[in-house]
Amino acid sequence: VAYSEVGNYDWFIVNSIPYKYLQAESKILMWRIIFIGLICLIFAILASFIISFSISMPLKRLKDLMKEVRKGKLDIEVEDDHNDEITEITKSFDDMILSIRNLTKENIETQKEIVYKLGQVTEARSQETGNHIRRVAHYSRLIALKYGMSPQEAEVLKMASTLHDIGKVSIPDKILLKPGKLTEEEFELMKTHTIVGYDILASSNKPILKMASIIALQHHERYDGTGYPRGLRHNEIAIYSKIVSLTDVFDALGT
C-alpha cells in the first residue's frame, strides 16, 4: 500500500497495488539485474584476459630469450612499445645482455691473448720468431674456410694452432736447441713433446684448448702412417691436425 498526505489537511491519499503486479515487476527487475550482471561479468573476463595477455606475452618472450642466452646466443635485443613496468623489465634485460656481451667479448679477447703468449713462449724457447705462429694461425684459418668449416670453427682452429708445440716446454735445451741432427735416443725424447702437449691441454673443457690438445698430439702424424706418436693413417688423423701440420711445414720451408 502506498499513501501520501494532502498538504495542510488531515487527509491521506491511499493507493493499494495488487501483489501480483509487484511480483511481476520484481521478476522483470531481477532478470534485468541478472542480464546486466552477466554482461558486466563477460566484459570483466574479456578485460582480464586482455590485461593478462598484455603482461604474460612480454614475460614469455623474455623467458624464451633467456633460454637463448643460456645457450650462448647474445646477439639479441628486445623491442617493447609498452609504457609501463614491462618496459622497465625489458630495458633492464637489454642492459643485462649488453653487459654480458661486453664481458664475453673481453673474456674471449683475453683468452686469445693468453693463447698467443703461450705459443710465443714455446717458439721463443725453440729460437723461432713469434711471427711464425701468427702466420701458421692465419694460414690455418684460411685453409679451414676453404675446406668448408664455419667462420666460428675456423677462428677456433686459428687460436688452437698456436699451441701445437706447447709440449716442447718439457724438452731439454741441449736437445731442443741442438744445431745438428738428433741421435736416435734424442729423437725419441723429442717425440714425447706431442704427448706432453696433449696432457697439458686435454684436461680443459674450453673449445680452443680441446682442439689444441688434439692438434698437439697429432700434428706430426703422417697420412701414410709413418708419423708419430701413434702412427695414425688417413682419416684417423683429425682434420685440424692435418691443416696445422701442413701450414707449419709450409711456413718453415717458405720463410
Side-chain angles (χ1 to χ4, degrees):
V1 175
Y3 71 93
S4 177
E5 295 182 1
V6 179
N8 299 324
Y9 291 94
D10 293 333
W11 287 83
F12 294 90
I13 297 176
V14 180
N15 181 39
S16 64
I17 303 174
Y19 176 74
K20 290 182 178 179
Y21 175 80
L22 286 176
Q23 190 179 38
E25 287 294 314
S26 298
K27 285 184 178 179
I28 293 172
L29 182 60
M30 179 187 69
W31 284 113
R32 284 178 179 173
I33 292 173
I34 292 173
F35 178 73
I36 293 171
L38 287 174
I39 291 176
C40 291
L41 179 62
I42 291 170
F43 275 107
I45 292 173
L46 288 175
S48 66
F49 270 113
I50 292 170
I51 294 171
S52 175
F53 187 79
S54 66
I55 295 174
S56 63
M57 284 307 294
L59 293 178
K60 182 180 182 300
R61 187 169 57 193
L62 284 176
K63 183 180 178 182
D64 293 338
L65 290 174
M66 286 178 185
K67 290 180 181 178
E68 295 296 319
V69 171
R70 197 178 296 120
K71 294 176 183 176
K73 186 178 179 182
L74 299 177
D75 56 338
I76 55 178
E77 187 173 347
V78 186
E79 295 182 1
D80 198 285
D81 298 327
H82 295 81
N83 293 314
D84 50 21
E85 290 82 359
I86 299 297
T87 301
E88 294 300 319
I89 296 174
T90 301
K91 186 177 182 302
S92 299
F93 181 83
D94 282 338
D95 292 341
M96 179 191 71
I97 293 297
L98 181 61
S99 298
I100 294 174
R101 195 182 300 150
N102 291 336
L103 287 172
T104 302
K105 183 179 178 181
E106 184 179 345
N107 184 35
I108 291 172
E109 292 301 320
T110 302
Q111 286 185 47
K112 287 181 179 180
E113 189 67 24
I114 291 172
V115 168
Y116 269 130
K117 294 299 181 185
L118 283 174
Q120 286 176 341
V121 167
T122 306
E123 296 298 333
R125 266 207 80 214
S126 304
Q127 295 184 340
E128 295 278 1
T129 170
N131 288 329
H132 168 69
I133 63 168
R134 292 186 181 273
R135 287 193 298 267
V136 168
H138 182 65
Y139 298 154
S140 297
R141 176 180 172 276
L142 291 178
I143 293 175
L145 290 172
K146 290 293 185 181
Y147 178 77
M149 291 185 190
S150 68
Q152 293 81 7
E153 192 176 12
E155 187 65 27
V156 172
L157 175 59
K158 175 183 175 182
M159 299 304 306
S161 68
T162 63
L163 299 177
H164 63 279
D165 274 337
I166 190 69
K168 285 184 177 179
V169 297
S170 67
I171 306 300
D173 285 346
K174 66 179 182 179
I175 297 176
L176 189 64
L177 305 179
K178 185 177 180 180
K181 186 177 180 180
L182 298 178
T183 66
E184 188 174 339
E185 270 188 10
E186 290 171 337
F187 186 55
E188 288 300 318
L189 185 58
M190 177 65 81
K191 288 181 180 179
T192 62
H193 83 274
T194 56
I195 298 173
V196 172
Y198 175 80
D199 290 340
I200 290 173
L201 301 170
S203 59
S204 173
N205 60 358
K206 301 299 181 184
I208 292 176
L209 299 184
K210 278 289 186 186
M211 187 184 293
S213 68
I214 296 172
I215 294 171
L217 180 66
Q218 298 181 355
H219 72 283
H220 282 292
E221 299 287 358
R222 298 290 176 262
Y223 195 75
D224 60 1
T226 60
Y228 64 86
R230 297 179 177 174
L232 302 179
R233 297 167 52 87
H234 302 288
N235 291 331
E236 292 174 343
I237 307 169
I239 185 62
Y240 316 120
S241 305
K242 291 178 181 178
I243 291 174
V244 174
S245 178
L246 176 66
T247 57
D248 187 27
V249 175
F250 172 77
D251 185 67
L253 294 177
T255 308

